[in-house]
Amino acid sequence: MQETRLDTARIRAARRVIDPIFLDTPLYRCEALEPDLGCTVSIKLETANPVRSFKARGTELVASLLADNGRRAVVCASAGNLGQALAWSGRGRGLDVTVVASRFAPAAKLDRIRALDARLELVDGDFDMARERAAAIARYDGIRLVEDSLDIETCEGAATIGLELVDTVPSFDAVLIALGGGALATGVGHVVKALASEVEVICVQPLGAPAMTHSWRQRRVVTTDSTDTIADGVAGRCPIPAVLDDDLLLVADDAVLVQEASITAGMRMLLDHAGLVVEPSAALGIAAILEDRDRFAGRHVVTIVCGSNVDVDAYHRWVGAAPVHGS
């Protein structure tokens, strides 16, 4: 395999830095989902931790390096989950954390960032506008800017999920990974292709936020003017060139787009059949199976349930409206 920015030895070493509370997350076959989906389904559950998403695997590496180097302040842009994770990791290491987010981000995510003692600045725009503001703060204050997916620690932290997959699941045919900025997809994809190359790495994005998928398909950065999806955690407009060119193009076998109705149906299925309350991004893998059952029929598929930070009222609106899919 052509070399990516990621390094398997560094990823293995990362496990010694990340707080064990974020490692070795539950991984199990969910037979209750299988009659409706027509394939064997295993769930990698990245929500059973203090920040309820996979993001702290990366922020633990970032915060550890900053603390070791005597740096005391850091800023990031976030759709909500990265900010919460960086606040958690930074608080434990005495770092001053600033998070820039859209004021339209889910209130539950913003409230948890504040509760973890981070300074929260809101912008009247989307995630990409928050990225611009975070970069400006970093320049003005002379502090470290954490850029999700561009900073290799965020990818290699997420990649430890891949180690746990290939070390635990005796045999699986495909892994379905939510695709936003790319940290999760490139990290897990790198490990899977390095250690279990026969496994198909499939990235999943909402039809209403397709920039990275279009970029993967056209093998060049494609931006969009706007996004329109409930899956706020993956709703970016401007892919990062290095993440696409040096990582995603080398490790992803496919990138697919799914409809909003399939996302809400996937959320409903995870509630009804797995007892899991998840945010929309975490249901993208199930949505991909629902939209293409024939592709996955008879195969063993792993899906990464990547986050459960969701506003309760919005969740009830979405899940209450989700159609019930029969087999």
Side-chain angles (χ1 to χ4, degrees), residues 168-256:
T168 307
V169 182
S171 174
F172 61 104
D173 302 304
V175 58
L176 294 164
I177 312 172
L179 178 61
L184 182 63
T186 61
V188 174
H190 170 82
V191 171
V192 169
K193 283 305 175 188
L195 303 179
S197 59
E198 72 283 359
V199 173
E200 191 176 17
V201 173
I202 304 170
C203 304
V204 190
Q205 207 166 31
L207 192 62
M212 189 63 108
T213 295
H214 287 330
S215 299
W216 182 86
R217 291 175 177 175
Q218 297 184 36
R219 305 189 71 82
R220 63 178 180 85
V221 169
V222 176
T223 62
T224 59
D225 293 331
S226 61
T227 61
D228 183 15
T229 179
I230 62 171
D232 59 285
V234 294
R237 296 183 289 107
C238 304
I240 299 170
V243 178
L244 174 70
D245 296 338
D246 299 336
D247 301 329
L248 191 67
L249 288 176
L250 303 180
V251 302
D253 294 304
D254 199 3
V256 300

Side-chain angles (χ1 to χ4, degrees), residues 77-145:
S78 176
N81 285 346
L82 178 75
Q84 188 183 164
L86 186 60
W88 193 95
S89 296
R91 185 179 67 174
R93 293 171 175 84
L95 303 180
D96 294 323
V97 177
T98 298
V99 178
V100 185
S102 167
R103 69 176 64 255
F104 307 110
K109 294 183 178 182
L110 301 180
D111 288 344
R112 292 189 184 112
I113 291 169
R114 293 187 185 99
L116 289 165
D117 301 330
R119 185 172 75 89
L120 180 63
E121 180 173 322
L122 301 178
V123 298
D124 290 315
D126 60 11
F127 170 74
D128 288 291
M129 184 176 290
R131 275 172 62 184
E132 294 174 5
R133 175 57 184 158
I137 291 172
R139 288 193 301 269
Y140 184 81
D141 293 343
I143 62 176
R144 167 70 186 270
L145 171 66

